[in-house]
Amino acid sequence: MTIGEALKHQRIRLGLTQDEMIQGIIHKSHYSKIERGIEGISAESLFKILFAHHIDVDSFLELIKNEYISENEKRAEELENKVRIAFNTSDKNEIENCLQEVLKLPGNKVFKYRIIVAIAAFRGQLDELSVGIKEDIIKEFTRHDTWLGDIDALRLFGNCMQVFTEKQLNNCISQILKQYSNNNASERMIGDCKIVCVRMNDSLNLFL
C-alpha cells in the first residue's frame, strides 16, 4: 500500500471528506493527487495530518512498509516469521535451516543477534555463546543512544537480555518503565515494552 493509498484508507475508515482530512494543512487539489499516487507528500505535512486525526504512526507505517522496504528487509521479515512458526511447532530441522538462511543475509546485525540468541535459548545452549558474540550484542545495543525510542534496539534487548548482567537488566528495565509510563508512547511501543517486561521476568530467573 502506498502512502496515498494508506491515507485514503484511513480517511474512509474515519468517515471523512478530503477537506476534513487535510484540515487546511495542504491544498485539496494536492491531496487528491497524493491519494491517486500522482504527487508525493512531505514528511511534515504527512505527520500533521496523522496527528490531527490521532492516527497511530506505527500502525500507519505498518500499512505502507511493504511498498518501501528493501528486498533484504522483506526477506528478514519472512525468515523471522518462519523461525516463529518453527519454534511454535518445535521443528528443530526448520530452525536449523532458518539459522543458516539468517546468517547468509547481508547486514541486519540486530536481526541476526536476536535470532542467534533465540535459537541458543531454544537449544538450551545460552552458556555456550562465545564471549565475542555477547560483547558484540552489548556493543550494538549501547550504540543506540536513544534506544528507548528505537524499536530495533528495544527488540534486541527483549530477545537478548540473557547476555546482560542482572545489574544491566535492572537498569534498563527501570528506564523502560519510566519512559513508557507517560501518555506519549505509541501503542506499538507500549506493546513491545510489555513483551520486554515479561521476558525480563523470565531472564531474572536465570540468576536465581
Side-chain angles (χ1 to χ4, degrees):
M1 189 178 290
T2 65
I3 291 175
E5 289 169 340
L7 282 170
K8 182 177 181 179
H9 170 79
Q10 293 292 344
R11 178 175 65 78
I12 293 173
R13 179 181 67 82
L14 295 169
L16 302 175
T17 65
Q18 289 189 346
D19 278 326
E20 291 169 334
M21 185 69 168
I22 59 177
Q23 293 192 357
I25 295 169
I26 56 178
H27 292 295
K28 181 180 178 181
S29 60
H30 176 42
Y31 178 78
S32 176
K33 291 177 181 177
I34 293 169
E35 282 198 356
R36 288 179 285 152
I38 298 173
E39 294 182 358
I41 184 172
S42 70
E44 181 179 0
S45 296
L46 174 61
F47 285 123
K48 283 183 177 179
I49 290 173
L50 295 181
F51 293 149
H53 300 290
H54 306 288
I55 297 171
D56 183 72
V57 175
D58 287 327
S59 297
F60 186 84
L61 293 177
E62 280 295 315
L63 291 175
I64 66 173
K65 72 175 184 179
N66 284 335
E67 185 74 24
Y68 301 101
I69 63 174
S70 68
E71 290 301 316
N72 189 43
E73 289 171 318
K74 287 181 182 178
R75 179 58 178 157
E77 190 170 282
E78 289 173 2
L79 283 171
E80 183 166 13
N81 288 332
K82 287 179 70 175
V83 169
R84 187 178 296 112
I85 293 171
F87 277 0
N88 291 337
T89 58
S90 298
D91 189 335
K92 295 180 180 180
N93 290 332
E94 181 64 10
I95 289 172
E96 293 300 325
N97 291 336
C98 288
L99 176 59
Q100 296 308 313
E101 290 299 315
V102 167
L103 294 177
K104 291 177 185 177
L105 287 175
N108 287 314
K109 271 188 177 181
V110 170
F111 175 62
K112 287 179 180 177
Y113 290 146
R114 289 173 53 213
I115 297 299
I116 288 171
V117 172
I119 290 177
F122 177 82
R123 293 170 172 167
Q125 297 174 344
L126 281 171
D127 292 340
E128 297 179 24
L129 285 174
S130 70
V131 173
I133 285 288
K134 293 179 181 179
E135 289 179 346
D136 286 345
I137 289 172
I138 300 293
K139 187 183 299 181
E140 179 64 27
F141 176 72
T142 55
R143 185 178 66 80
H144 298 261
D145 294 331
T146 56
W147 68 271
L148 284 168
D150 188 314
I151 287 180
D152 281 337
L154 194 59
R155 286 177 174 171
L156 177 64
F157 177 63
N159 284 118
C160 302
M161 51 177 67
Q162 292 95 333
V163 308
F164 290 75
T165 65
E166 184 176 3
K167 182 178 179 180
Q168 289 171 326
L169 285 174
N170 283 327
N171 179 55
C172 289
I173 208 70
S174 293
Q175 293 182 58
I176 290 174
L177 292 174
K178 182 178 179 181
Q179 173 74 10
Y180 298 117
S181 62
N182 63 56
N183 295 322
N184 296 321
S186 69
E187 290 181 10
R188 184 178 179 184
M189 280 292 190
I190 292 172
D192 283 340
C193 178
K194 290 177 180 177
I195 292 171
V196 166
C197 289
V198 171
R199 289 175 179 162
M200 168 72 170
N201 182 63
D202 293 339
S203 294
L204 283 176
N205 290 332
L206 296 175
F207 297 104
L208 298 179

